Every structure is written in structure tokens, then in C-alpha cells.
Amino acid sequence: MDTPGKKRVLSGIQPSGELCISNYIGALKNWISLQDEYECVYLIVDLHSLTVDQVPAELRQRCYSYVAQYLACGIDPEKSLIVVQSHVPEHTELTWVLNTITYMGELNRMTQFKDKSKKQKNINLGLYTYPVLMASDILLYQADLVPVGADQKQHLELSRDLAIRFNGKYSPTFTIPEPFIPKQGARIMSLQDPESKMSKSDKNPNNYISLLDAPNVIMKKFKRAVTDSETEIKYDENRKGLHNLINIYSAYTGKTSDQIEDMYVGKMYSDFKVDLADIVIDALKPIQEEYNKIYNDKGYLDQLLKEGAEKARYQARKTLDKVYRKVGFIKRAR
Ligand code: TRP
């Protein structure tokens, strides 16, 4: 951390559900490509995941699994910090201070809160202040750039507002983070319901491809993916199912939609789906092999997380000490 001249990137994923190809295409793939140019911090936001019901033993295993998948996908611990959010207590400490400068009206406006309150029974206070914890994640590390999907832009906007507000009320303390929306940004949609996004917390596993799905499962899911009653393979926004499959094809091969259309002139949906499944199976194979090597080595993963947390805490403490001083707390003798 703290390489002069390098901008800092920070992002995170909630450990709920299984990581899917939409997380890879929308986040991880992009994270990997940023590692050389930026100083990156990649979080597993376990504190956030408590805002929905969790089975404790499963949550713990899932967090390990996410770390192993970050690594297997190509996050390099020599270049980037992989950090479990709860290992750095400064996240919750800064959240408290930020809570006191956040207006309830701002949180009432958050569309994710409104959506989730409609969908889940357990409307807890954590769900409400979720965006403040996210702001702490970002501001603690003085992140310059935050790669996020479109659904998180409103939360990022709040992080910026809070940083500006705090800096104005006291004095410059936080870097104002910028959203970093990947260029090739096709949203990956659900396989059975292409109107909604592919989500790792979806109850129906046929809606998503997990990074750890076995080849026969991947084949089956793609074969069953919803398309339409037309015959030609065309990249048409109104044919949502096929449109989505072409986007996945394109993300994994680098081919444009035009090239893909040309390749499938006169061919059937089933040909296309089988090819797509094979492409994804091949792409996931090395990731799964690497995952299987590291997932069971808890000693290695624990050591890696220990180092990640130590380095992260150094930066986090620096920011938090500054914040505590500015708000008027007595400096704790050490
Ligand atoms: N809220 C984000 C999501 O659901 C996850 C997240 C938590 C995050 N903290 C973050 C993303 C900080 C970027 C930066 O996708």
C-alpha cells in the first residue's frame, strides 16, 4: 500500500450466494485488469452480508470459498490486497461517525433499500444503513476509483456526498471517489428470466451459472436458457434471452455481436447454445482446477487474509485517527 503515484482502486462483493459468471464478467475480470496500473483493495464484505439472513457455518465456508475464487480467477495477492471486511474493525468505527452526518432522507431515497424492503421480511437497521458502511469501505482507504455496476451508482454517489460533507465541515480528510464503470459493460441477465439481472442470490440456480458449476450442469443450464420462437441468430435488444446469450458469448470470446451473427447464419439456437456452453466450460476449467488446489488449504488462506488485514489496517487506522482527531476526540495514548 501507499505506492507513490499510483491511484487506488477499491471494490467488494457480498458473500451471499455463489459467485457467478455475471460477477466475473461484471466485476472480477475488470478487477484483474486493473491490478498493474492501480493499487487495488478487493473486499469480501461479510459485514454487509449480515443484512440478509445467513447460516453461520455456511457464511464462514463461503467467505473462504470467495477468497479462493478471487485468487483462482487471477487476483494476485502480490499485487492486490484481498481483505475480509470484518478483519478490519475500522470499517464499523468509521461507519458510526459517518452515520452522524448522513440524513435519513438520503437513506430513504436509496432504491436498493426500497427494493429489498419489498422483497424481504427482515427489514433491519443494517439494511437501512448499508450504504453508510459501504461509504466507510471506500473512504477509509482513500480510494480514487470504485469499480461498480450500475445498481451501485447511487450508493457511490452517497459516498461522494459524505466525503464532501465531512471535508467541508472539518477540513480536507477524504479523497472524493469516482465511479469506474467498465467499458465493455453489457449487463448479464438471468437465463430463465432475461428481464432481470443474473444474481448470485437468486433462489433458482437455473437462472445463473456459478463459477464452480460442473460442465454437465453448465451445458444443461444453457440448453434450457429461455430464448424465443424465432429461428435466426440475431443480436436484437427486443429478443432479450438471445441478446443476453450473445453478450455472454462476446464477453468470453472477445468477438463482436456482428461476428457472432455471421458465424451462426443458417444455424440453430441449439448449435449456438451448445457452443456457448462449451466456451464457458473451457473458460471455467482452469479456474476450477486452481480453486480446487487452494480452497482446502485453509492455512494458506488464513495467512493470506492475515497479511491482507494487517496492510489494510495500517491505512484504515491512519484515516480513522485523522477522523477522530478532527471530530474532537481525545487522542488515545498508545
Ligand atoms: N454494495 C456492493 C454490492 O452489493 C458491495 C460493496 C460493499 C462495495 N462495499 C463496497 C462495492 C465498496 C464497491 C466498494 O455490489
Side-chain angles (χ1 to χ4, degrees), residues 10-14 43 45 48 85 112 130 134 137-138 146-148 151-152 155:
L10 180 135
S11 199
I13 302 182
Q14 249 195 83
L43 301 171
V45 294
H48 278 109
Q85 189 186 30
Q112 184 174 296
Y130 178 112
M134 178 165 160
D137 297 341
I138 297 168
V146 183
V148 280
D151 63 327
Q152 296 297 315
H155 289 165

Side-chain angles (χ1 to χ4, degrees), residues 321 324-325 327-333:
D321 281 346
Y324 277 3
R325 181 162 47 80
V327 300
F329 292 166
I330 294 174
K331 186 175 182 345
R332 178 156 46 123

Side-chain angles (χ1 to χ4, degrees), residues 100-313:
T100 66
I101 62 161
T102 306
Y103 308 125
M104 287 179 66
E106 290 177 303
L107 297 182
N108 290 336
R109 279 200 296 277
M110 293 291 146
T111 55
Q112 184 174 296
F113 174 67
K114 287 194 259 184
D115 289 349
K116 286 196 179 169
S117 332
K118 269 184 228 142
K119 280 192 206 136
Q120 73 188 64
K121 283 206 193 75
N122 163 10
I123 308 175
N124 58 79
L125 194 50
L127 203 59
Y128 187 62
T129 60
Y130 178 112
V132 186
L133 179 58
M134 178 165 160
S136 302
D137 297 341
I138 297 168
L139 303 184
L140 256 189
Y141 299 99
Q142 308 287 356
D144 298 284
L145 296 170
V146 183
V148 280
D151 63 327
Q152 296 297 315
K153 266 174 84 178
Q154 196 185 24
H155 289 165
L156 191 62
E157 202 52 48
L158 178 75
S159 308
R160 288 171 55 85
D161 289 344
L162 294 180
I164 293 167
R165 191 170 306 153
F166 189 96
N167 290 352
K169 186 169 177 189
Y170 301 98
S171 59
T173 307
F174 295 122
T175 303
I176 314 295
E178 298 283 342
F180 189 79
I181 313 286
K183 271 183 234 111
Q184 197 234 5
R187 245 173 118 212
I188 304 302
M189 311 304 279
S190 155
L191 298 182
Q192 295 296 317
D193 169 21
E195 300 279 340
S196 47
K197 72 169 191 175
M198 183 183 285
S199 162
K200 61 185 166 47
S201 23
D202 203 309
K203 292 205 175 54
N204 178 4
N206 287 324
N207 283 334
Y208 58 76
I209 306 281
S210 150
L211 295 183
L212 301 178
D213 273 345
N216 61 328
V217 174
I218 298 176
M219 185 57 80
K220 202 171 68 196
K221 287 183 179 177
F222 274 123
K223 280 187 178 168
R224 283 190 190 162
V226 166
T227 42
D228 50 55
S229 53
E230 311 243 357
T231 49
E232 257 181 300
I233 313 258
K234 282 268 169 222
Y235 190 62
D236 174 354
E237 237 179 300
N238 298 315
R239 292 162 65 185
K240 297 236 158 47
L242 182 62
H243 191 259
N244 183 43
L245 296 181
I246 295 180
N247 282 335
I248 298 172
Y249 196 116
S250 172
Y252 274 102
T253 57
K255 291 195 162 56
T256 65
S257 49
D258 283 346
Q259 289 171 322
I260 297 167
E261 280 182 356
D262 288 347
M263 287 169 63
Y264 288 92
V265 174
K267 297 216 174 137
M268 296 197 299
Y269 279 0
S270 54
D271 301 319
F272 173 74
K273 284 177 166 179
V274 168
D275 286 355
L276 173 58
D278 281 333
I279 288 165
V280 174
I281 290 167
D282 283 347
L284 294 184
K285 194 165 170 257
I287 294 174
Q288 296 180 352
E289 283 172 0
E290 184 62 20
Y291 173 82
N292 290 331
K293 273 191 233 152
I294 44 189
Y295 174 64
N296 289 315
D297 193 348
K298 297 287 186 303
Y300 168 69
L301 296 176
D302 279 333
Q303 182 59 28
L304 194 116
L305 292 179
K306 181 172 169 238
E307 285 165 22
E310 275 167 8
K311 289 183 193 152
R313 280 200 78 180

